[in-house]
Amino acid sequence: MAEASTIVFQTTLLPSLSSQFHHHYNHNPLFFPKPIRTPKIHNTLTPIQCSISTAATPDTASAVDRIPWGCEADSVENAEALQNWLTKLGLPPQKMRIEKVDVGERGLVANNNIRKGEKLLFVPPSLVITADSEWGCPEAGKVLKKNSVPDWPLLATYLISEASLMSSSRWSNYISALPRQPYSLLYWTRSELDRYLEASQIRERAIERSNDVIGTYNDLKLRIFSKHPELFPEEIYNMETFRWSFGILFSRLVRLPSMDGKVALVPWADMLNHSCEVETYLDYDKSSEGIVFTTDRQYQPGEQVFISYGKKSNGELLLSYGFVPKEGTNPSDSAELSLSLKKSDKCYKEKLDALKKYGLSGSQCFPLQVTGWPVEMMAYAYLVVSPPSMLQQFDEMAAVASNKTGAKKNIRYPEIDEQAFQFILDTCEASIAKYTKFLQASGSMDLDVTSPKQLNRRLFLKQLAVDLCNSERRILYRTQYILRRRLRDIRSGELKALRLFDGVRNWFK
């Protein structure tokens, strides 16, 4: 995988520490299902809530300098060494080879003609890292398992443990090929997030993820590491190394449905890059007894072979994997719009109580695509603009907005359609203004760095932010167009009805 690659969430890859979080929005002629959101980190340990401030967030470059393993850039040489090592350990001959490529810097290309429907890869389970893998330091593994540490933090600790063993670890060749610093948003400082992603809702998701990682590390430190310093010395098990290990998991961990949903790191397979045009993903194949994927198209010799990291928006791809597809090329792209109750509303308390009853808050984000918006967002907008006379409908609106099972679908309140559409339009246009302000300022943005290395990094991050903002603003513009047409139709219909009424009244005169 390129710096931050992964596969389909619901079938193979997990972009977070949570096991499952499937929340789909309902279909409607102008509406669409909500893309799967990255959930918070959950484990059986009691999490410690931490907040990140600009001062508390370490400088990324200096933090990476303290990571003594992995490679600083995508290295074809390290990847080739990895393949040679895997071959010695039982990796069968492959129909792909590692090469420097245009998409993802390094990737797997076809050795010869590959047919559609062909099974590729065949990585045996013995070469896959899971929660059951043997520890180079068995005592450390026993302590974590004794404390029932779940798979995500267990694997994060396992990676650090094996990396610290250097060449004596079975996985040293794999770890050497991993990036020392992926460009996922987990590696952006708070000041970089504030500066470059101020207009995008993905900024809040990135802060939330960083908080989750910090909280999980502090919890492990308090409950386990501090009690066993001989096994988990702080110079090895610290925030910088955990940021690295969680970054690797967010970008490379896969869930294998045919192995009872087991999560795993699959060396060699994670050299595959993403394409929005493919739908194939990794899984365990019982007949060949290996991790494979089935091609959904044919490839010519020398052509790069792709898999899908899931139907994710550009923001979600940047969040976990550190890249943004070219504008207009991702059919799953979406932009989040935040709707909020008005505190000046006479029924603010009643509306907020209705939302809390169904797990929602007074400010809620909803995904927009170029085709429209989810019915949940429309229900939320109805609730925001509804007058006191509709008090009895507040519960129904909140239930639909939450997509709770059993809630009535596709509710309509024609009497407040205009107000609801106008409310969404006003919010949409305010969001567009934020994007436009950032994009206009980005050309003259002072990068404020003296190191050439830092300058290159800041230029790269700024370009990623510009690409993301352009793609999200494009969706908002499309939403604005749809809303304006809806309002025009409503108002022209009302005008026609008024004229018809006046005509009938004049006829009777």
Side-chain angles (χ1 to χ4, degrees):
M1 300 176 185
E3 236 13 346
S5 35
T6 308
I7 308 135
V8 179
F9 173 76
Q10 58 266 51
T11 48
T12 55
L13 281 180
L14 275 173
S16 83
L17 304 189
S18 174
S19 54
Q20 299 98 351
F21 181 80
H22 296 268
H23 180 184
H24 295 280
Y25 279 151
N26 299 308
H27 288 277
N28 208 306
L30 254 188
F31 308 146
F32 56 92
K34 176 183 180 180
I36 297 173
R37 287 198 52 168
T38 303
K40 293 183 180 180
I41 296 169
H42 296 286
N43 56 48
T44 56
L45 305 173
T46 303
I48 295 175
Q49 295 300 320
C50 299
S51 60
I52 299 177
S53 66
T54 303
T57 305
D59 177 80
T60 306
S62 60
V64 171
D65 291 339
R66 293 193 287 271
I67 303 294
W69 46 74
C71 55
E72 254 189 81
D74 275 344
S75 166
V76 173
E77 290 72 26
N78 280 345
E80 287 175 342
L82 171 65
Q83 184 182 16
N84 293 335
W85 169 72
L86 290 170
T87 299
K88 291 177 183 177
L89 292 180
L91 184 74
Q94 300 289 307
K95 296 182 179 180
M96 300 174 291
R97 65 183 183 276
I98 186 76
E99 278 193 6
K100 195 169 185 64
V101 293
D102 293 333
V103 178
E105 295 187 23
R106 64 182 177 183
L108 299 183
V109 302
N111 284 329
N112 40 43
N113 287 311
I114 294 174
R115 302 183 308 274
K116 178 180 178 180
E118 198 166 344
K119 290 180 179 179
L120 300 180
L121 215 67
F122 305 105
V123 178
S126 60
L127 299 180
V128 172
I129 297 175
T130 71
D132 300 323
S133 292
E134 184 178 346
W135 287 63
C137 178
E139 295 81 6
K142 288 177 183 177
V143 168
L144 291 180
K145 291 180 179 180
K146 182 181 178 180
N147 283 272
S148 302
V149 176
D151 288 355
W152 269 84
L154 178 72
L155 284 168
T157 311
Y158 179 82
L159 265 183
I160 297 170
S161 176
E162 295 301 309
S164 68
L165 295 175
M166 299 294 189
S167 59
S168 61
S169 169
R170 182 194 182 207
W171 303 105
S172 61
N173 289 81
Y174 175 59
I175 292 168
S176 296
L178 294 174
R180 185 175 296 183
Q181 182 209 342
Y183 276 101
S184 78
L185 295 188
L186 192 61
Y187 288 83
W188 292 33
T189 65
R190 177 61 184 269
S191 60
E192 288 167 345
L193 291 171
D194 291 343
R195 189 172 200 176
Y196 300 130
L197 297 176
E198 179 184 5
S200 176
Q201 290 294 329
I202 209 68
R203 170 184 167 276
E204 297 300 322
R205 301 266 296 279
I207 293 171
E208 178 184 52
R209 176 169 289 187
S210 289
N211 281 340
D212 285 344
V213 170
I214 290 174
T216 300
Y217 164 69
N218 283 339
D219 189 72
L220 290 171
K221 180 181 178 182
L222 176 67
R223 294 173 177 270
I224 301 174
F225 299 163
S226 63
K227 296 177 181 179
H228 302 276
E230 74 286 357
L231 295 176
F232 305 102
E234 192 168 356
E235 59 266 24
I236 294 175
Y237 299 88
N238 51 58
M239 192 61 249
E240 285 79 18
T241 57
F242 265 82
R243 192 181 298 274
W244 171 80
S245 63
F246 275 119
I248 296 300
L249 296 186
F250 279 123
S251 62
R252 294 166 184 268
L253 199 64
V254 303
R255 182 177 292 279
L256 303 168
S258 297
M259 294 184 74
D260 298 321
K262 181 177 289 187
V263 292
L265 289 168
V266 187
W268 185 244
D270 55 13
M271 297 297 167
L272 287 158
N273 290 319
H274 168 80
S275 171
C276 298
E277 298 177 354
V278 303
E279 297 182 356
T280 189
Y281 54 86
L282 293 181
D283 197 6
Y284 177 70
D285 179 58
K286 294 179 180 178
S287 61
S288 60
E289 298 184 341
I291 311 299
V292 305
F293 70 95
T294 305
T295 59
D296 60 0
R297 64 204 57 221
Q298 61 182 15
Y299 292 95
Q300 302 297 320
E303 188 178 355
Q304 185 175 185
V305 179
F306 294 100
I307 54 174
S308 170
Y309 301 169
K311 295 181 179 180
K312 305 180 186 300
S313 69
N314 287 0
E316 289 171 315
L317 291 170
L318 177 60
L319 176 66
S320 291
Y321 316 129
F323 69 90
V324 178
K326 186 177 178 182
E327 185 181 352
T329 63
N330 182 4
S332 299
D333 197 15
S334 65
E336 290 193 341
L337 188 66
S338 179
L339 302 184
S340 301
L341 286 177
K342 299 174 183 177
K343 292 188 177 180
S344 59
D345 193 318
K346 293 178 181 178
C347 297
Y348 176 78
K349 183 181 182 302
E350 291 80 1
K351 292 178 180 180
L352 185 59
D353 288 344
L355 290 170
K356 287 182 176 179
K357 178 181 176 181
Y358 293 98
L360 301 179
S361 67
S363 183
Q364 204 72 32
C365 286
F366 297 91
L368 306 173
Q369 286 185 321
V370 292
T371 51
W373 52 86
V375 295
E376 284 80 0
M377 187 176 83
M378 197 66 205
Y380 195 98
Y382 277 141
L383 181 62
V384 172
V385 304
S386 56
S389 60
M390 299 184 73
L391 180 63
Q392 299 302 316
Q393 281 78 46
F394 288 177
D395 187 85
E396 179 183 59
M397 295 173 184
V400 176
S402 70
N403 194 21
K404 292 294 183 183
T405 303
K408 196 181 297 183
K409 309 300 181 186
N410 302 335
I411 56 172
R412 284 290 309 279
Y413 302 99
E415 65 272 29
I416 56 172
D417 266 352
E418 182 177 352
Q419 296 94 314
F421 284 128
Q422 186 64 55
F423 167 65
I424 298 173
L425 177 60
D426 291 342
T427 308
C428 181
E429 290 179 338
S431 186
I432 289 172
K434 289 182 181 179
Y435 282 97
T436 301
K437 181 180 178 182
F438 166 76
L439 291 168
Q440 288 175 343
S442 64
S444 58
M445 189 177 285
D446 182 9
L447 295 175
D448 190 28
V449 291
T450 54
S451 163
K453 183 178 178 180
Q454 275 293 83
L455 179 62
N456 288 337
R457 168 186 164 79
R458 292 284 175 84
L459 286 170
F460 181 63
L461 299 191
K462 188 179 82 167
Q463 187 58 55
L464 286 172
V466 168
D467 291 344
L468 177 66
C469 286
N470 274 320
S471 69
E472 291 185 341
R473 187 176 66 161
R474 169 178 171 266
I475 294 169
L476 289 167
Y477 272 137
R478 176 62 180 170
T479 303
Q480 178 190 53
Y481 172 77
I482 295 172
L483 287 165
R484 285 178 174 176
R485 286 197 62 178
R486 280 292 188 92
L487 284 166
R488 185 194 65 191
D489 292 343
I490 289 172
R491 287 160 185 166
S492 63
E494 289 174 350
L495 183 60
K496 287 178 183 177
L498 181 60
R499 286 172 178 169
L500 179 61
F501 176 75
D502 286 342
V504 172
R505 186 175 59 179
N506 291 334
W507 185 78
F508 277 105
K509 286 181 180 178

